[in-house]
Amino acid sequence: MRGAGTGTGGAAVAVAMSLLLLLLSRSPPAAAGDGRKSDSRLVSEQFSQAPQKLAFYNWYGSARLFHFRVPPDTVLLHWLLQVTRGSGPTCNNVETTVYFRYGAPPVINPLGTSFANNTSVQPSFLLRMLQDNASVNVSYPAPGDWFVAAHLPPSSHKIEVKDFIPTCAYIFQPDMLVVRVVEMSILEPDVPLPLVLLSQPSYLKVFVPKHTQELRLELQGCVSNGSLGCPVHLTVGSATLPGNFQKVLTCSHPTTACRLLLPSPPWERWLQVTVKSLAGPRVLVTFSAVAALTACRPWTVNLQRLLQSSPNQSSNASTGPPPLSPNTQDLDQSGEAGSGTFCFRSFPILREDMDVVSVRFRPLDRASVLVQSDMPSVMKLHLNTGMDSGGSLSISVSVNQTVIASNISVVACVTAGSPFLSFNTSLNCTTAFFQGYPLSLSASSPTANLSIPYPETDNWYLSLQVLCPERPEECMQASVLVETTLYLVPCLNDCGPYGQCLLLRRHGYLYAGCSCRAGWRGWSCTDNSTAQTLAQQKVATLLLTLSNLMFLAPIAISVHRCLLVEASVYAYTMFFSTFYHACDQPGDAVLCILNYDTLQYCDFLGSGVSIWVTVLCMARLKASLKYVLFILGALIFAMSLQLDRRAAWNTMGPCLFAIVVMVTMWVYRCGRRRHCYPPSWQRWVFYLLPGLSMAALALTIYVSMMTSENYYYTHSIWHMLLAGSAAFLLPPREQHAEPWACAQKLTCHYEICKNHRDELYTVT
């Protein structure tokens, strides 16, 4: 991620470098005895990304996501946050909310909506910025992926016309400054490591191999200034956000052993240990650090043997499938199983990638997992590719209600990093550095579901075991087959019937979010507190579609006055606006006769061209010039809407040009005839002023009054005002033209030609 973007300018770089020097001057010191004020073991690095324009929050896509990667052996992480706003009159000081999370994008809920059932969400770590600059420090951060998300306050739901009213741009950029250790002592298992502390801490790390059941850290032989005692502060593990499960141990009593036990530590990773002296700046503390690992042998189930025994299994859970006894042929060849006892039964899991952020996990050649009481059954879910954290982990476990005894329960625990292996009657589902997600199955509750939005990048484990809370002795021979359904999906339940699952991207990282409609809200569009009923949806659809029937008035007037091109344009607009809004509805009352994008394009095109032909028709140009401008205007509208369909000036620009042409022609006629044009006051009072008033009101509603709540009513009024203004503003027919003359020509085979100058009629 280093060098992935640029800063906000020279000032930002200068501030970042100043803070970097400040961090170095205050960075954690080195081991005692070196006699130097600075620590040569520490180096600093800076990471930056291109800034992004913030948006007012409406759904998860409104938040701007930044993806950083913290290097290993980092002892200090400093976030420098900067918000730059424009200089326009609309640029007020607004609050910016920034979220931080390790391992996956933060799960946020600024609107306070409810989550779907069985969805487990941890509170987000957030910072509210009222100033342009802020900073966040994290000591001993976990290495790997870190995500920062930022947004402005929730939107006002006002529908703004793009580029019509100036808006303020808020630019957000986070910079990441890290201080890491380049010389870190390695603590080998069962090998004492002599250490000396004076005023600077010691940085250690120990590797936790696979299948480690327990890690014990102990400080032995502590001596402080020649006397017994161990005044040290021990910090084990790395900090993560939003939760922090670092283990802290303070050793001060001279007779008490300084020891820390860590059950189920994270497998296959380095564990950071920091030791600081509490004896003062000039007191020498010596000791030896010892790390002891307790390993257990996993028993990988022999699938062929298990399948052969399946047909002979009994249907009673208490006397069900024969217990699987460990043997040398069942040992996991890849694990450290040379010593120790069996502590869990491992089921091989097949990972099947189906699509982007879409994975299915299933046991090899089986749909069920055998769970017994002697040891946990563990399934490993590989979610460590770096691209799996942008979806939702869906876990469903169930048992056959008819074959499980009433006194038997199956408990499960979902954890990351290492499996939970210490099942008992009080299930806490907590490993050394992770708070897991407990599940329970019984005869009264045979199914349990769990959904985890944006799971952390790691190896996840599902552990199951049979327990008998009332009489443990009855579980000695109990075996239960548990059905498992394990998926990683982009969106839970595909956002339901009132939501759309959208795939979002930040550089090369992909993640998904739900965009809700019809008043539904929430992470998975399951919050119906503001949802529209089916009757409301039907009323909205009828308002938006039937309001277009107002265009029948300008169509009839155009045909009556022999304006067939204008009538065709109004008919086109009425047709596509009706079916576009029938297809644009968010709920169940939807009808799409064509592709949605096609209908929207035709609706926008028809609206713009309707205004164009109406204004040019009012100019009373020569027929040849008028039709040339009609065609050119339609082509210009088609091009501009293809460039940007929602830009205001793409429609208003050609319309303003048409108004200039109309005003020019009216002024020309006023000067030529030496009186006002149009000359009749009735034309002004009964036609032009009502038509212009309706057009002005329609423009006001369209620009400043539409919101997502009143859209169905205000936009319907816009339809009626637009059609009504066209009916009033269309010019009268020619003085000597007969009403419905064009319609008569369509049905009559004879044409009566009239010479207005000679008053002669001929039949041809």
Side-chain angles (χ1 to χ4, degrees), residues 538-580:
K538 292 181 178 179
V539 169
T541 303
L542 292 175
L543 282 175
L544 289 170
T545 54
L546 298 183
S547 60
N548 289 284
L549 295 179
M550 279 291 294
F551 278 97
L552 291 175
I555 292 173
I557 294 174
S558 299
V559 175
H560 178 266
R561 299 175 184 176
C562 205
L563 303 173
L564 296 183
V565 175
E566 291 82 347
S568 302
V569 173
Y570 298 145
Y572 176 94
T573 303
M574 180 183 69
F575 178 84
F576 282 104
S577 180
T578 299
F579 286 101
Y580 163 65

Side-chain angles (χ1 to χ4, degrees), residues 160-441:
E160 297 182 351
V161 181
K162 185 178 178 182
D163 299 333
F164 186 78
I165 299 177
T167 58
C168 184
Y170 296 87
I171 308 300
F172 177 77
Q173 180 179 14
D175 290 327
M176 186 181 72
L177 311 176
V178 299
V179 178
R180 62 183 183 90
V181 183
V182 294
E183 297 178 5
M184 184 172 288
S185 302
I186 297 178
L187 190 59
E188 299 182 3
D190 300 322
V191 178
L193 178 64
L195 295 172
V196 178
L197 291 179
L198 185 57
S199 59
Q200 298 176 337
S202 290
Y203 301 109
L204 316 173
K205 63 179 180 179
V206 56
F207 184 76
V208 181
K210 193 176 181 181
H211 306 147
T212 299
Q213 187 175 13
E214 185 181 72
L215 171 63
R216 185 177 76 253
L217 295 174
E218 185 176 0
L219 304 184
Q220 301 175 349
C222 291
V223 177
S224 176
N225 267 5
S227 60
L228 294 178
C230 200
V232 297
H233 182 83
L234 190 68
T235 304
V236 183
S238 301
T240 59
L241 296 178
N244 186 6
F245 297 95
Q246 283 180 310
K247 304 300 181 181
V248 178
L249 178 64
T250 301
C251 304
S252 57
H253 201 277
T255 59
T256 304
C258 188
R259 183 183 300 114
L260 183 63
L261 296 178
L262 300 175
S264 299
W267 290 354
E268 298 181 287
R269 70 181 61 181
W270 290 96
L271 196 61
Q272 187 171 336
V273 181
T274 304
V275 186
K276 295 182 180 180
S277 174
L278 300 177
R282 298 179 180 273
V283 180
L284 192 67
V285 179
T286 60
F287 59 91
S288 295
V290 181
L293 301 175
T294 302
C296 65
R297 292 187 293 173
W299 175 22
T300 301
V301 175
N302 189 313
L303 296 175
Q304 184 177 4
R305 174 173 174 247
L306 187 59
L307 288 172
Q308 291 174 354
S309 63
S310 296
N312 301 323
Q313 295 171 354
S314 173
S315 61
N316 194 324
S318 60
T319 60
L324 300 178
S325 58
N327 58 69
T328 56
Q329 295 180 354
D330 294 325
L331 296 182
D332 186 358
Q333 301 297 325
S334 61
E336 288 75 13
S339 61
T341 59
F342 294 102
C343 60
F344 67 93
R345 186 178 291 106
S346 177
F347 283 82
I349 297 297
L350 174 66
R351 173 189 166 114
E352 182 181 356
D353 292 273
M354 298 183 295
D355 206 338
V356 179
V357 201
S358 182
V359 182
R360 180 174 67 175
F361 299 94
R362 57 183 178 87
L364 288 174
D365 302 327
R366 292 183 58 82
S368 304
V369 174
L370 182 66
V371 182
Q372 296 178 321
S373 61
D374 56 343
M375 67 180 72
S377 298
V378 177
M379 290 176 287
K380 180 180 179 180
L381 311 180
H382 294 274
L383 294 174
N384 56 353
T385 64
M387 299 299 293
D388 301 326
S389 57
S392 296
L393 179 61
S394 178
I395 297 176
S396 178
V397 292
S398 61
V399 295
N400 193 338
Q401 191 175 10
T402 61
V403 300
I404 183 171
S406 59
N407 63 331
I408 293 178
S409 63
V410 178
V411 292
C413 182
V414 181
T415 55
S418 60
F420 178 77
L421 304 175
S422 303
F423 286 94
N424 48 49
T425 55
S426 58
L427 178 63
N428 57 9
C429 194
T430 303
T431 60
F433 300 101
F434 190 84
Q435 175 61 53
Y437 306 93
L439 299 172
S440 179
L441 301 174

